């Protein structure tokens, strides 16, 4: 019964996002280093899940997302599935062998995969090694994704300060340069590198959005 309730909430969230996104002006900027038709492992912060999902819809024809088996995971899995993502339920930790092996198989088969790197429960802005492990074992590059909204709701009581764009807002989504993690690399050596890349690409998205807003004001 509890799962059914969250499925209903998920369906409501999907239609809400669909309505809001139709009112938004969304700009997606891809790194020129990304190869058309190639699959990637995409990482972003948990509080930018909505924006990253909207930005990654057209990155690849086949897309997969890791969602936790929790109630929150149930809530987000419904809208993402309806947006065309293949859902894999499970933890992003290396100890969740079943979900990681399924994701590795999907990525090797041509799916681009993504998940919040500090999810599902935080701490906020602390990169966990699960998706780095996926990138390393699949042989696919990890791609940082940054998002900025001109107008948004921030859920201050949520552990991640979750962000939801408001209707008629502008959104910039940056899909950054690929980071290849060698098969013999120590993942701990890449945690800070990826964390810095995510902070940097979010700053770049904010800068681009602010410049566009300033240019519009100057034209008036």
């Amino acid at each position: 019964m509890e799962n059914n309730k969250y499925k209903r909430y998920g369906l409501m969230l999907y239609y809400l996002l669909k309505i809001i996104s139709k009112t938004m002006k969304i700009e997606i900027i891809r790194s020129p280093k990304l190869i058309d038709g190639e699959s990637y492992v995409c990482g972003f912060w948990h509080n930018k899940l909505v924006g990253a999902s909207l930005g990654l819809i057209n990155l690849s024809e086949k897309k997969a997302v890791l969602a936790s088996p929790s109630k929150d995971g149930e809530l987000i899995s419904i809208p993402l599935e309806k947006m065309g993502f293949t859902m894999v339920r499970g933890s992003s930790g290396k100890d969740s062998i079943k979900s990681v092996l399924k994701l590795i198989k999907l990525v090797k088969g041509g799916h681009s995969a993504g998940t919040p790197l500090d999810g599902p429960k935080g701490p906020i802005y602390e990169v966990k090694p699960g998706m780095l492990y996926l990138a390393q074992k699949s042989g696919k590059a990890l791609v940082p994704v940054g998002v900025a909204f001109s107008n948004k709701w921030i859920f201050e009581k949520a552990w991640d300060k979750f962000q939801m764009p408001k209707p008629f807002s502008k959104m910039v989504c940056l899909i950054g340069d690929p980071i290849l993690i060698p098969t013999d690399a120590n993942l701990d050596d890449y945690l800070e590198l990826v964390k810095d890349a995510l902070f940097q690409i979010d700053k770049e998205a904010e800068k681009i959005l602010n410049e566009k807003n300033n240019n519009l004001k100057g034209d008036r």
Side-chain angles (χ1 to χ4, degrees):
M1 290 293 292
E2 191 75 9
N3 279 351
N4 287 337
K5 180 176 76 172
Y6 276 83
K7 284 180 180 179
R8 290 196 297 273
Y9 290 159
L11 196 60
M12 292 167 60
L13 178 60
Y14 166 70
Y15 287 112
L16 177 63
L17 286 174
K18 190 173 182 180
I19 292 169
I20 291 176
S21 64
K22 286 185 179 297
T23 72
M24 295 171 62
K25 184 177 181 180
I26 299 173
E27 182 173 5
I28 302 167
I29 303 172
R30 292 175 39 146
S31 165
K33 295 181 180 180
L34 296 179
I35 301 171
D36 289 339
E38 180 59 270
S39 57
Y40 296 99
V41 177
C42 304
F44 42 88
W45 295 129
H46 197 278
N47 57 17
K48 300 293 181 71
L49 175 62
V50 169
S53 300
L54 292 173
L56 293 173
I57 287 176
N58 298 315
L59 175 66
S60 176
E61 185 177 342
K62 296 187 290 185
K63 304 167 289 292
V65 173
L66 183 67
S68 76
S70 66
K71 296 170 185 176
D72 288 344
E74 191 70 46
L75 181 65
I76 66 169
S77 67
I78 299 297
L80 289 176
E81 196 168 28
K82 285 187 166 293
M83 289 163 68
F85 290 87
T86 298
M87 301 306 303
V88 177
R89 303 301 294 271
S91 167
S92 61
K94 289 193 291 185
D95 57 335
S96 185
I97 301 299
K98 187 176 180 180
S99 58
V100 171
L101 288 178
K102 185 172 183 180
L103 272 174
I104 290 174
K105 184 177 180 181
L106 285 170
V107 172
K108 284 186 173 181
H111 283 72
S112 284
T115 196
L117 296 187
D118 55 345
K121 295 181 179 180
I124 189 171
Y125 303 140
E126 289 298 328
V127 174
K128 296 180 179 178
M131 293 305 280
L132 278 66
Y133 179 81
L134 170 63
Q136 184 185 54
K137 296 303 179 182
S138 65
K140 301 296 182 178
L142 179 74
V143 175
V145 179
V147 176
F149 302 115
S150 63
N151 204 5
K152 59 186 178 287
W153 290 290
I154 299 178
F155 295 80
E156 295 289 352
K157 292 185 179 180
W159 68 263
D160 62 344
K161 311 299 182 193
F162 193 81
Q163 298 183 13
M164 173 75 78
K166 291 185 178 181
F168 304 100
S169 60
K170 300 181 184 69
M171 180 187 110
V172 169
C173 177
L174 294 185
I175 306 175
D177 294 343
I179 301 169
L180 191 62
I181 303 176
T183 56
D184 60 348
N186 184 338
L187 292 183
D188 289 341
D189 295 336
Y190 280 80
L191 295 178
E192 284 300 316
L193 184 152
V194 172
K195 181 178 179 178
D196 290 344
L198 286 177
F199 279 137
Q200 183 60 37
I201 201 165
D202 265 347
K203 286 181 181 177
E204 290 176 11
E206 293 283 354
K207 181 180 177 182
I208 291 171
L209 185 61
N210 289 335
E211 287 175 349
K212 289 181 179 296
N213 286 338
N214 290 336
N215 289 338
L216 284 175
K217 290 177 182 178
D219 291 339
R220 290 173 184 170

